[in-house]
Amino acid sequence: MLSSSGTTRPGTAGSADRTPVAVHATDPILREGVLSQLRRYPEVDLREEAAAGPGTVALLVDDTLDETALARLRRLVRGEGARAVLVVSSLREAGLLDVIECGVGAIVWRHEATAHRLVQAVLAAARGDGDLPADLLGRLIDQVGTLHRNAAGHPGVPVSGLTAREVDVLRLVAEGLDTGEIAGKLSYSERTVKNVIHGLTTRLHLRNRAHAVAYALREGYI
């Protein structure tokens, strides 16, 4: 049964073996276009945007990934426990690791976003599998390789260097934000922010937040 907006209401009969999907798009026309593509696939159970949560795949569609979209991804994946599929026209190099670190394993280019391709990505995300375009996978491998090479020249630093999440937190620390403000900006809990800072300062033998910021600046992370 469909609601007035054309999405399936939670709890409808026959949806037990289907994958619940909530479509998120800032453009209502774009959102309706995606919904229209997906309605004819019986394996997909369309839900309202507010229904995103554990067991639901959040399908986010936008032209580019800006800070607002990234914060929405973090909220849906980390805060609400949803799986996520990101559909974008382009993705900057700096944003790729952010997206992967956020927990998004399925990305689809807008120009490749046929109904079949979207369903394929949704089902992969629901299983917890990765689904990246071949060119994006190559870029990810290059970035990880660069991190490993950079870390190799710094004895005592693990091959992972600073994670994207640690860089996000330190960048905001450098801007003078306190724990609560950082948590709000990144859609984390304050406990998560404290754990991130404690983890990196302990791992890298740094004395405090200021020392951590100095380290990140010196090594070119921020």
Side-chain angles (χ1 to χ4, degrees), residues 13 17 28 42 56 67 71 79-81 86 90 92 101-102 118 120 122 152 158 182 199 202 205 222:
D17 297 327
T56 299
E67 288 299 324
E80 301 184 19
L86 178 64
S90 62
R92 292 178 296 116
E101 194 274 337
C102 180
L118 290 177
Q120 182 183 49
V122 162
I182 294 171
T202 299
H205 307 291
I222 62 176

Side-chain angles (χ1 to χ4, degrees), residues 136-206:
L136 203 54
L137 182 58
R139 284 164 55 187
L140 179 61
I141 292 172
D142 287 343
Q143 287 195 37
V144 172
T146 299
L147 286 175
H148 282 215
R149 288 191 296 273
N150 289 343
H154 298 84
V157 178
V159 293
S160 59
L162 289 179
T163 67
R165 179 164 64 173
E166 289 170 343
V167 173
D168 284 342
V169 170
L170 287 179
R171 186 177 292 119
L172 295 178
V173 170
E175 292 175 8
L177 277 65
D178 62 25
T179 301
E181 292 171 326
I182 294 171
K185 281 273 190 181
L186 299 178
S187 298
Y188 296 156
S189 68
E190 291 190 25
R191 179 181 293 275
T192 296
V193 174
K194 291 177 181 177
N195 287 342
V196 168
I197 295 173
H198 179 267
L200 73 92
T201 54
T202 299
R203 190 182 77 238
L204 301 177
H205 307 291
L206 304 171

Side-chain angles (χ1 to χ4, degrees), residues 82-98:
R83 305 279 189 174
V85 175
L86 178 64
V87 183
V88 288
S89 297
S90 62
L91 188 60
R92 292 178 296 116
E93 296 289 338
L96 178 54
L97 285 177
D98 287 340

Side-chain angles (χ1 to χ4, degrees), residues 1 10 22 44 81 84 113 134 147 194 217:
M1 181 175 181
V44 172
L147 286 175
K194 291 177 181 177
L217 287 167

